[in-house]
Amino acid sequence: MDFEISFKFRTDQMNGLLLFVYNKDGPDFLATELKSGLLSFLLKTSITFTQVDLWLGLSYCDGKWNKVTVKKAGSVISASLNELMEHVSESSAQPLMVNSPFYVGGIPPLLRDTYKELSLEQGFGGCMKDVKFTRGAVVNLASVSSSAVRVNLDGCLSTDRAVNCRGNDSILVYQGKEPSVYESGLQPFTEYLYRVVASNEGGSAESLWSRGRTKGTAPQSVPTPSRAHSINGYSIQVTWDKPVGVRGIIEKYIVKAYDKNGHHVPAASVEFVNTSALTGKSHCLIE
């Protein structure tokens, strides 16, 4: 059985597991991960194991959107990112038989132990969208997700970062015996990774990475509406531009109308939750 899976991602990290699906009753699995400058596509069927490694360098971890396509067409198995592509020909390729949930951005610890010989990367840190299967409809991850662990479904993090292609660039936040610590001076709407190292005279051990995200901040400035068009004596259509300096997700726009004589109480106030539309109508005005 041939297949094609495509999606878009953006990240500032070098390593991360992107996709994983497997057969609960057999050896088959599919995995796609980023690993130290490579896009690695792993495909295991009943009798064959195929690995396609596409060299990317540092082209993918700058916070910009990238499109990935992994594909099996007959005996040809391929992986591509944007304009780069690598493929192998496997004459004995067999159909992929899988029946597990489709994991995006990481797998549970139990599965990691089961497939520990693969040395799969830890969970993905960044944003993913436009997941498609074999030229089908785009999958809305927020609506089809059955379980989300350390995942935010309300939008992408800020890309205003001083450091890209992060690997092992961690810094010491706290050293002591307390079980908790407060860290300040962080950037708004930004993801941070933390882990704990416990040590004594016998040695040390470290935890897995855990992710945390700071909240967004208010937009720095909101432009004056670019157009206010009278529809009738009681309605006006207003058009506006996106705010400047947004560090977070715009959840809604509120358009308020005031009496020109300078009253401080708005004559009308309308909320627009569709933030992709930058125009709306204000009704019930006084003629």
Side-chain angles (χ1 to χ4, degrees), residues 222-228 237-241 254-256 278:
V222 180
T224 301
S226 56
R227 185 170 182 264
Q237 184 177 58
V238 181
T239 303
W240 58 92
D241 297 318
I254 303 174
V255 176
K256 297 181 179 182
L278 300 179

Side-chain angles (χ1 to χ4, degrees), residues 130-182:
D130 295 353
V131 179
K132 296 179 66 176
F133 297 90
T134 314
R135 297 177 296 279
V138 172
V139 176
N140 186 322
L141 295 178
S143 63
V144 304
S145 174
S146 61
S147 177
V149 179
R150 296 193 300 274
V151 172
N152 296 285
L153 299 174
D154 59 352
C156 284
L157 301 171
S158 169
T159 58
D160 186 13
R161 311 269 185 93
V163 179
N164 288 327
C165 299
R166 297 187 298 172
N168 187 24
D169 60 343
S170 59
I171 61 173
L172 181 65
V173 174
Y174 171 76
Q175 184 172 352
K177 297 182 180 180
E178 297 298 324
S180 63
V181 63
Y182 174 81

